[in-house]
Amino acid sequence: LFGETVAINGNYAVVNAPHEDTGLSGQTALDTAGACYIFENDTNGVWNEVQKIVPSDRRSFDYFGLFALAISGNTIAVGAFRQDYDEFGNNPISSGGGVYIFERDTSGDWNQVQKIVASDREQGEWFGKSVVLEGNTLIVGASQEYSSGNINAQYGAVYVFERDGNGVFIEIQKIRPDNLENS
């Protein structure tokens, strides 16, 4: 499914391959762990692949990049709505979801600098099913988020993050509509 989701900003484009099994050189193949490919537009107008990125804690069935991919300046946000672990790689919760932040360093390499999960993460909420990144603001969708522990009342929610002075995205708000109805 290479190219199911794409994002572009300036001379860089990011293309997902959410069913990609192989990781970076030397990493074990993991079923549908996912990957993204970064392309740069050169001075002749040709797009060249410059790097493949995968999350530092990649696991089978995470679907890294499926539906959720954004780039703004030197920052890329990639959702993995089926991933299970918190930002430290602990406390598994089935399909709680996560978003991975990559930044381009001075030598042009893209490196993972942060993993984000919802502050109130619960099973099956699919945090990271959609992402939007503009400057220092990141908005993350959790389309299956539910209320008060009632998994049968899936309303969805949007989480807003702002990048602080240290470059870290901090959750500042959770948005839900006033007139909640079960989907």
Side-chain angles (χ1 to χ4, degrees):
L1 295 176
F2 178 80
E4 174 119 349
T5 304
V6 296
I8 187 171
N9 184 259
N11 289 326
Y12 290 97
V14 186
V15 180
N16 75 342
H19 287 222
E20 175 82 42
D21 295 339
T22 57
L24 303 175
S25 145
Q27 287 183 316
T28 307
L30 299 172
D31 193 22
T32 62
C36 290
Y37 293 84
I38 302 169
F39 293 83
E40 184 176 10
N41 193 355
D42 67 20
T43 57
N44 296 318
V46 177
W47 291 92
N48 299 291
E49 181 182 329
V50 295
Q51 191 173 340
K52 176 181 179 179
I53 57 174
V54 298
S56 60
D57 62 349
R58 65 188 281 274
R59 292 182 174 86
S60 294
F61 308 109
D62 280 352
Y63 297 98
F64 177 76
L66 181 61
F67 307 124
L69 180 55
I71 181 171
S72 179
N74 291 322
T75 306
I76 295 172
V78 182
F81 71 99
R82 295 290 306 270
Q83 80 84 36
D84 301 333
Y85 294 85
D86 69 13
E87 65 271 34
F88 305 109
N90 301 314
N91 304 312
I93 294 175
S94 179
S95 296
V99 174
Y100 297 84
I101 305 297
F102 292 81
E103 290 184 358
R104 190 166 64 94
D105 65 21
T106 55
S107 62
D109 295 324
W110 295 85
N111 302 293
Q112 182 180 323
V113 296
Q114 188 176 0
K115 177 182 178 183
I116 298 170
V117 298
S119 59
D120 60 351
R121 67 191 268 277
E122 292 192 45
Q123 175 181 332
E125 293 190 325
W126 290 2
F127 177 87
K129 179 84 183 280
S130 59
V131 296
V132 175
L133 176 63
E134 179 66 35
N136 291 322
T137 303
L138 172 68
I139 299 176
V140 178
S143 63
Q144 300 296 311
E145 195 272 342
Y146 48 91
S147 178
S148 304
N150 181 0
I151 198 163
N152 295 315
Q154 295 170 320
Y155 300 114
V158 173
Y159 295 80
V160 180
F161 296 81
E162 289 289 336
R163 190 176 354 222
D164 69 11
N166 296 317
V168 176
F169 283 97
I170 306 295
E171 184 179 324
I172 61 165
Q173 187 176 1
K174 177 179 177 180
I175 301 171
R176 298 180 82 186
D178 293 334
N179 58 343
L180 292 177
E181 291 183 22
N182 193 2
S183 52

